[in-house]
Amino acid sequence: MKPLALAIMGPTASGKTAAALAIARAMPAEIISVDSALVYRGMDIGTAKPSAEELASVPHHLIDIIDPTEAYSVAQFRADTLRLVAAISARGKLPLLVGGTMMYFKGLTDGLDDLPAAHAPLRALIEADAVRLGWPAMHARLRALDHVTAERLAPNDAQRINRALEIIELSGRPMSELLSGRAKLDLPFELLSFALEPSDRAVLHARIATRFDQMLGSGDDTGIVAEVAGLRARGDLHPGLPSMRCVGYRQAWEYLDGKIDRAALRETGIIATRQLAKRQLTWLRAMPERVVIDCVAGAPAAAMLAQLAAHGR
């Protein structure tokens, strides 16, 4: 019998961390972060990174593993996760894969080996077009060629828009078509996937607003503005890096540049987070194997534990 791993997926502010910690209190478990922002060291407030107490209460993996100047690919995540699941299972514990980076989940289950390799000259040409036209225009170009992939990406997600356009140019086919036509890989473990989804989107939006206000804090010397100011002071970061394009960090950088005021920082940050949640839910709807748990009613962890017991593991 293959070892079992549990996936806890969901949009931002759906309560994934709290649910995972509750499950880890009920049974021996370790948490593998499935979050493309939590990998960065020094980015704690804007990523809603688990607190020091939470990190100490149960072993966590794939958090604070790279510098904000570095990149972390889906392929790296898949390799790391396969290794970690095997090690955690060997210790007699349940691996909990927790996060909202749906491309990581899809890369884990489906793999990415059949996509064309990166092509630096072509990527430079796409970036030159983006400098001239802007990334929202490049997103519109992608939408005309591959609306499925474009729907899942933010208009300013330069890294992924560039990659999607690069794949179209190299293969002559949209990335969504290449991914959907790929045979599902046989994982070396059984993955039981739960999705925390809201029965009432307005409740999720209220949570998003509350959490962003908590990230902002009471002034510029606290919260995400102070965190981004400290990152800028290093001198080796810029707004084009994937780390600085994370929701909240991009808006705080613009605020510190004087492009927007504090009210606009709050408004655009909340809007961007809502848009992120919408894209995450779009990804989830394309995962028919998931077990949906209402994240705004009752106790999601209790519902997952009941499902796990019924699963017979």
Side-chain angles (χ1 to χ4, degrees):
M1 184 181 295
K2 291 181 178 181
L4 177 69
L6 213 64
I8 304 177
M9 310 178 290
T12 184
S14 59
K16 299 181 294 294
T17 296
L21 291 171
I23 291 174
R25 286 192 293 269
M27 62 177 58
E30 297 186 26
I31 294 173
I32 300 172
S33 172
V34 188
D35 191 304
S36 60
L38 293 187
V39 298
Y40 296 114
R41 292 187 291 269
M43 294 174 57
D44 303 330
I45 298 172
T47 61
K49 194 168 289 180
S51 67
E53 293 76 17
E54 290 170 334
L55 291 171
S57 67
V58 58
H60 284 70
H61 305 276
L62 303 188
I63 293 178
D64 291 338
I65 59 172
I66 63 171
D67 188 80
T69 57
E70 300 172 321
Y72 187 69
S73 69
V74 178
Q76 288 172 294
F77 166 79
R78 188 176 195 278
D80 286 342
T81 298
L82 290 175
R83 171 181 53 80
L84 286 166
V85 168
I88 294 167
S89 299
R91 290 192 284 271
K93 295 183 179 181
L94 178 66
L96 303 178
L97 281 62
V98 184
T101 301
M102 302 307 163
M103 191 173 289
Y104 281 5
F105 280 115
K106 188 168 182 64
L108 175 66
T109 57
D110 294 3
L112 295 170
D113 293 341
D114 57 352
L115 297 180
H119 188 277
L122 176 57
R123 188 165 289 189
L125 288 174
I126 295 171
E127 289 177 353
D129 281 350
V131 169
R132 181 168 51 88
L133 302 172
W135 283 109
M138 303 304 288
H139 184 264
R141 179 187 296 181
L142 176 62
R143 184 179 295 279
L145 298 170
D146 184 359
H147 74 279
V148 173
T149 298
E151 181 68 20
R152 294 170 176 166
L153 301 181
N156 287 307
D157 193 343
Q159 182 182 25
R160 293 188 175 95
I161 294 170
N162 194 327
R163 176 59 175 155
L165 289 170
E166 178 187 47
I167 287 170
I168 293 170
E169 289 289 335
L170 292 173
S171 69
R173 298 168 63 192
M175 184 169 74
S176 58
E177 181 182 311
L178 292 173
L179 295 177
S180 64
R182 179 174 51 225
K184 202 171 185 67
L185 297 178
D186 186 24
L187 287 171
F189 55 87
E190 181 183 359
L191 185 63
L192 180 58
S193 298
F194 292 106
L196 301 185
E197 301 179 29
S199 56
D200 185 348
R201 194 76 65 90
V203 176
L204 182 67
H205 287 174
R207 287 186 185 178
I208 287 171
T210 298
R211 191 163 81 171
F212 198 82
D213 283 337
Q214 292 170 344
M215 289 178 180
L216 276 176
S218 58
D220 290 357
D221 56 345
T222 63
I224 190 172
V225 172
E227 184 171 72
V228 174
L231 291 166
R232 284 164 58 107
R234 290 176 28 157
D236 60 346
L237 301 177
H238 59 83
L241 288 169
S243 58
M244 294 299 101
R245 290 201 300 269
C246 289
V247 171
Y249 289 86
R250 181 173 66 249
Q251 290 77 19
W253 194 289
E254 292 176 350
Y255 170 74
L256 290 168
D257 275 344
K259 295 179 179 178
I260 56 176
D261 60 18
R262 191 172 174 88
L265 165 59
R266 180 183 185 274
E267 180 182 5
T268 57
I270 291 173
I271 290 172
T273 310
R274 286 184 180 182
Q275 291 170 339
L276 170 61
K278 180 180 178 181
R279 293 192 300 275
Q280 290 168 317
L281 289 167
T282 298
W283 275 99
L284 286 168
R285 286 195 294 271
M287 297 178 175
E289 70 280 3
R290 77 197 191 282
V291 177
V292 177
I293 304 291
D294 187 0
C295 67
V296 300
M304 284 186 276
L305 286 168
Q307 289 274 353
L308 187 60
H311 191 67
R313 299 290 291 273

